[in-house]
Amino acid sequence: MHHDHLRDELKDLTTEATDASLDDIDLVSTLEAAQRMNAGDRSVPAAVEPCLPAIAEAADRIAAAFARGGRLVYVGAGTPGRLGVLDASECPPTFGTDPSQVVGLIAGGQVALTTAVEGAEDDEAAAVRDLDALGLTEDDVIVGISASGRTPYVIAAIREARRRSAFSVSVACNAGSAAGRHADIAIDVVVGPEFIAGSTRLKAGTAQKLVLNMLTTLAMVRSNKTFGNRMVDVRATNAKLVARAFTLVQDVTGASDASVSAALAESDGEVKTAIAVILTGASADTVRQRLADASGSLRAVL
């Protein structure tokens, strides 16, 4: 019975539809197949466009959560779960955030990052347990990601978030998705049938990656983690980042090599602090205090 019901449910989803114009891709040259795949991929940013107001509103909600010490929690199964974990893990090196500020939950846990965990996406009780383990509160924002928009693990997580008065966002790839109906903000990016029917790691996955990029990047810009489009909260943790930090400080201040090196040394490699030291002439400790008072806004301190 359950399978009949699920078949009917999936039948109407554009993410599961078959594009008849691609019936012969196994018969054409690899180059032609690549050209057709690329042509289909071009539609993805266009599908994101009508969702921009919802994305901007969600980014503002996430920034507001950060301001009150809350977290962004991504929740997904399979590809969407992996994309959430990916985006979360890239925030600390890019924006100098605490690793606990943006969290990625994937159905089935760590092992599901590299292995398909059977039945994990259907486990609604696990979603509640996973959010409970995080101690989700009304200060947090949860973003549930699901290509179909019907993944039980994701919907259960959104419902649990609402029960705990946490703000919820849904990212799905079907119009009027079930997950979107349960969330405070629905971001439904309709990408249409996949190059390989039902293979939602393709256009749907690309759409989700674009949306998650926007959510964290825009929330971080709103949270004073950048100066213009520059990564001034980057932590210099490897040779490339040390070089980038130097270039960034010099780029913004126009100071000599010696001044930049001295300022970075005094600032323990903190780009934002070093820039303010050079431009205001204050000590690193004074600058840090001013930055703290200005919620980390370099523009305000300058």
Side-chain angles (χ1 to χ4, degrees):
M1 177 57 217
H2 173 65
H3 290 296
D4 293 342
H5 170 65
L6 187 55
R7 265 208 308 273
D8 287 342
E9 204 181 334
L10 295 178
K11 205 169 63 204
D12 298 328
L13 301 179
T14 57
T15 47
E16 298 288 325
T18 304
D19 181 346
S21 73
L22 296 170
D23 275 353
D24 59 345
I25 55 158
D26 53 339
L27 302 174
V28 301
S29 73
T30 307
L31 176 58
E32 184 177 332
Q35 286 163 339
R36 290 210 218 162
M37 193 169 179
N38 180 242
D41 285 342
R42 275 189 216 139
S43 66
V44 178
V48 172
E49 193 178 357
C51 301
L52 294 179
I55 291 168
E57 189 188 341
D60 282 335
R61 288 287 187 161
I62 294 163
F66 290 162
R68 59 179 181 259
R71 299 164 293 180
L72 162 59
V73 180
Y74 284 130
V75 180
T79 299
R82 294 181 191 103
L83 289 170
V85 171
L86 175 69
D87 199 60
S89 63
E90 289 171 349
C91 287
T94 311
F95 300 109
T97 54
D98 189 281
S100 66
Q101 193 176 341
V102 183
V103 185
L105 284 184
I106 181 167
Q110 285 298 118
V111 64
L113 287 174
T114 51
T115 314
V117 177
E118 290 304 317
E121 74 162 53
D122 298 321
D123 194 340
E124 298 180 27
V128 177
R129 282 198 307 274
D130 291 346
L131 290 180
D132 196 44
L134 272 183
L136 193 82
T137 76
E138 59 192 11
D139 288 335
D140 303 320
V141 172
I142 171 173
V143 175
I145 319 158
S146 161
S148 64
R150 56 148 299 278
T151 308
Y153 178 87
V154 173
I155 291 177
I158 290 172
R159 295 178 70 156
E160 178 63 11
R162 298 206 72 156
R163 204 180 66 73
R164 291 169 178 250
S165 304
F167 196 83
S168 60
V169 180
S170 161
V171 179
C173 294
N174 284 301
S177 69
R181 289 198 296 274
H182 287 284
D184 293 306
I185 295 178
I187 301 170
D188 288 334
V189 186
V190 185
V191 294
E194 294 286 5
F195 183 74
I196 302 294
S199 180
T200 50
R201 70 188 187 89
L202 302 175
K203 285 194 299 190
T206 302
Q208 290 156 13
K209 179 75 170 84
L210 293 178
V211 172
L212 304 196
N213 279 351
M214 293 175 107
L215 292 178
T216 41
T217 304
L218 299 174
M220 294 299 178
V221 170
R222 286 282 84 87
S223 303
N224 303 317
K225 292 288 180 184
T226 60
F227 178 72
N229 68 341
R230 295 177 171 93
M231 274 194 275
V232 289
D233 257 328
V234 69
R235 290 211 183 119
T237 50
N238 63 34
K240 179 185 76 180
L241 292 176
V242 169
R244 188 182 283 164
F246 187 97
T247 305
L248 252 173
V249 175
Q250 195 160 53
D251 189 28
V252 174
T253 62
S256 68
D257 286 8
S259 303
V260 172
S261 294
L264 276 167
E266 187 192 344
S267 307
D268 297 324
E270 294 169 2
V271 169
K272 207 185 248 183
T273 309
I275 289 170
V277 163
I278 292 171
L279 294 181
T280 67
S283 71
D285 288 340
T286 304
V287 162
R288 276 197 195 99
Q289 188 53 56
R290 286 181 190 165
L291 279 167
D293 294 341
S295 304
S297 171
L298 181 56
R299 285 203 194 270
V301 168
L302 298 181

